Amino acid sequence: MTDSSNRFRTFAAQLLEHEGALVEPVEPHGLEAMLPGNLQQALRAPEFLRLGFAAELPAGAERASLESDWLERFGELLDGRGRRLKFAASATVPPLGHVERIVEHNVALQNAVYRLSQIEQAWTRYLIFIFRYTAISDEKREGIFRFGFNLINGSAIDPMIDQLLAAALDEGATETVTKPAASQLPADWTAEKLKKAVTRALPVRVRAHLGQFVNGMQRRLDRDLERVHEYFNGLREESWRKLKKQKGDAARERLRIEAAEREYQAKVADLKQKYDLRVNVELVQTLELISQVQRVTLVIKRRKGERKLPLDWNPIARQLDPLPCEWSFVAEGPRVVCDDQLHIISPAGHAPCPQCGREYCRVCSPRRCPKCGREESQAVDSKSGLV
Ligand SMILES: [Zn+2]
Ligand SMILES: [Zn+2]
């Protein structure tokens, strides 16, 4: 059973349970559910539903692969209510000093210093996005991936997303919680800010999921290119040999070499088309998890500048959120601080301009280099169909 079908089974089981179904796993790699009336209607499914998630199906089960329409049916079920799924989770308070020590050990800025100014019990909102991707070249690959942000500061929560999602879908853990007042929660991001963040966050995650697929494709392409090259090289060498020995008709051999050259170029172009990669990414679902956190406030200093940054420790995952990258919204890697606005970014967001070599902050200047005016290429996104 692949990872993605495994995750799909867990996702389906959690969702069905959340919607009031009784769910039991059945082997191999399936589940059996008893659906209440409204859920039968919403999913256009019988009262007793058996789904299989791997190649081998349990007896009498419907196939719920990623290619089937089950993902859409689940999505419709949730979207039909015109809202995001929303959950609240409370948390146990960590021992005194615990979070401060974790911050001291884990938070490092390459070109700035910080001090811890405050620690408090607080609430936050995490947005979790579930995406489906379809990649097509000579082969097809589909899968699900998910990522999310903490709305207080844009920290990417990839390292703890499974735990947060499990908590969000575990009704028992959320029932007893009194939801905090809206004033205690970080505000909604504007549609523009959210779109920008998701658009920038997607390519890296898609690439990570497609790494193996792309490598396999590259190997097949290289192998085919080599084969074609060898074949035409053979033809060419033979003609050259004949030319050198002045055997046969020289003009004809020259024409033959030219024709082989053209055919070779055409074959290479065909191969490039055959292995051309198209990736489509669709948002399946957005979940919102409201969670209690321990919030530390960092005061970050760079040269004469100073800014405050809230950073949350999440008691469900028992982890500190990664420092945000306010440019690419990645979770991993080191962070630097920009001179002008003290943006926190991964080094790629402060990379030298390929034309003039000047390092600059991509949050401050998203479109062009402030020194020479070279435009930032957006080509990657539109080519892979991610926008
Ligand atoms: Zn430049
Ligand atoms: Zn900046």
Side-chain angles (χ1 to χ4, degrees):
M1 192 164 183
T2 64
D3 268 6
S4 56
S5 52
N6 218 346
R7 276 203 293 270
F8 189 34
R9 176 165 81 155
T10 310
F11 171 68
Q14 288 168 337
L15 211 54
L16 288 170
E17 259 172 20
H18 176 260
E19 297 297 317
L22 287 173
V23 183
E24 284 283 320
V26 285
E27 291 313 319
H29 310 304
L31 61 82
E32 189 169 57
M34 193 173 94
L35 310 180
N38 56 346
L39 196 53
Q40 292 169 40
Q41 274 183 349
L43 288 173
R44 303 183 295 283
E47 183 179 6
F48 293 96
L49 176 67
R50 271 171 99 87
L51 295 174
F53 293 82
E56 198 190 336
L57 294 177
E62 257 190 77
R63 184 175 304 283
S65 63
L66 292 165
E67 298 84 48
S68 73
D69 67 349
W70 275 99
L71 198 59
E72 269 85 10
R73 284 203 233 176
F74 290 134
E76 273 169 34
L77 170 75
L78 300 163
D79 289 343
R81 294 189 206 129
R83 63 175 172 86
R84 297 167 175 152
L85 274 184
K86 207 185 247 185
F87 304 90
S90 70
T92 36
V93 178
L96 206 66
H98 181 71
V99 176
E100 289 93 321
R101 277 197 299 279
I102 289 183
V103 170
E104 277 154 22
H105 281 127
N106 290 285
V107 175
L109 294 160
Q110 286 189 339
N111 62 350
V113 293
Y114 69 86
R115 69 181 164 77
L116 238 156
S117 84
Q118 202 184 351
I119 179 156
E120 63 193 326
Q121 186 92 342
W123 286 90
T124 200
R125 301 163 67 195
Y126 292 104
L127 283 190
I128 299 172
F129 307 95
I130 302 175
F131 276 91
R132 176 160 63 169
Y133 65 86
T134 314
I136 302 168
S137 71
D138 61 322
E139 288 180 7
K140 185 172 171 188
R141 174 70 51 93
E142 290 186 296
I144 291 182
F145 66 92
R146 46 216 190 181
F147 66 90
F149 310 125
N150 185 337
L151 289 187
I152 191 73
N153 60 0
S155 279
I157 49 168
D158 303 46
M160 56 178 94
I161 198 142
D162 285 337
Q163 285 141 299
L164 296 187
L165 198 58
L169 293 171
D170 175 6
E171 189 130 35
T174 57
E175 242 169 17
T176 50
V177 182
T178 325
K179 281 183 189 162
S183 61
Q184 288 175 276
L185 293 171
D188 258 326
W189 288 9
T190 62
E192 192 195 352
K193 181 175 175 184
L194 196 59
K195 185 174 173 230
K196 211 182 264 180
V198 170
T199 310
R200 286 197 195 131
L202 270 177
V204 152
R205 273 97 179 167
V206 173
R207 242 172 262 138
H209 272 81
L210 286 178
Q212 259 186 332
F213 179 67
V214 171
N215 288 343
M217 188 179 88
Q218 188 69 47
R219 269 197 304 277
R220 292 191 298 279
L221 172 62
D222 289 346
R223 184 200 59 205
D224 286 1
L225 280 174
E226 202 177 296
R227 209 179 282 158
V228 167
H229 184 259
E230 256 170 40
Y231 174 74
F232 284 101
N233 218 21
L235 286 186
R236 200 168 35 212
E237 276 172 10
E238 196 189 312
S239 291
W240 275 113
R241 258 199 312 277
K242 284 185 188 163
L243 271 179
K244 265 195 215 151
K245 290 183 186 161
Q246 297 183 331
K247 268 188 196 165
D249 180 348
R252 218 180 76 196
E253 289 307 328
R254 281 214 175 85
L255 281 178
R256 210 181 253 176
I257 291 174
E258 278 168 26
E261 202 65 50
R262 276 197 303 276
E263 206 180 328
Y264 172 67
Q265 296 303 341
K267 281 264 189 277
V268 169
D270 281 353
L271 282 178
K272 289 206 168 127
Q273 197 168 14
K274 178 180 169 194
Y275 289 100
D276 184 33
L277 175 66
R278 273 161 301 141
V279 182
N280 250 305
V281 181
E282 275 172 81
L283 179 63
V284 179
Q285 184 60 41
T286 309
L287 299 121
E288 179 177 333
L289 175 67
I290 294 170
S291 171
Q292 254 173 346
V293 292
Q294 288 285 310
R295 179 164 300 152
V296 297
T297 302
L298 307 180
V299 177
I300 295 172
K301 287 186 180 184
R302 162 91 183 137
R303 297 194 175 158
K304 295 213 161 61
E306 189 177 291
R307 83 172 259 201
K308 283 186 177 169
L309 176 79
L311 192 65
D312 290 345
W313 180 84
N314 188 287
I316 298 166
R318 306 195 67 78
Q319 277 185 46
L320 188 69
D321 287 357
L323 278 172
C325 168
E326 292 168 325
W327 167 244
S328 66
F329 298 90
V330 293
E332 66 284 350
R335 296 290 184 263
V336 299
V337 174
C338 87
D339 286 345
D340 286 345
Q341 307 274 324
L342 280 86
H343 291 124
I344 297 155
I345 36 190
S346 46
H350 204 271
C353 163
Q355 190 165 290
C356 72
R358 151 98 177 265
E359 287 182 8
Y360 68 97
C361 168
R362 301 306 192 269
V363 186
C364 290
S365 312
R367 276 178 244 297
R368 53 181 59 85
C369 166
K371 190 175 173 196
C372 72
R374 180 188 185 273
E375 289 195 21
E376 211 36 61
S377 155
Q378 299 290 321
V380 180
D381 290 350
S382 50
K383 246 189 236 156
S384 50
L386 293 178
V387 180

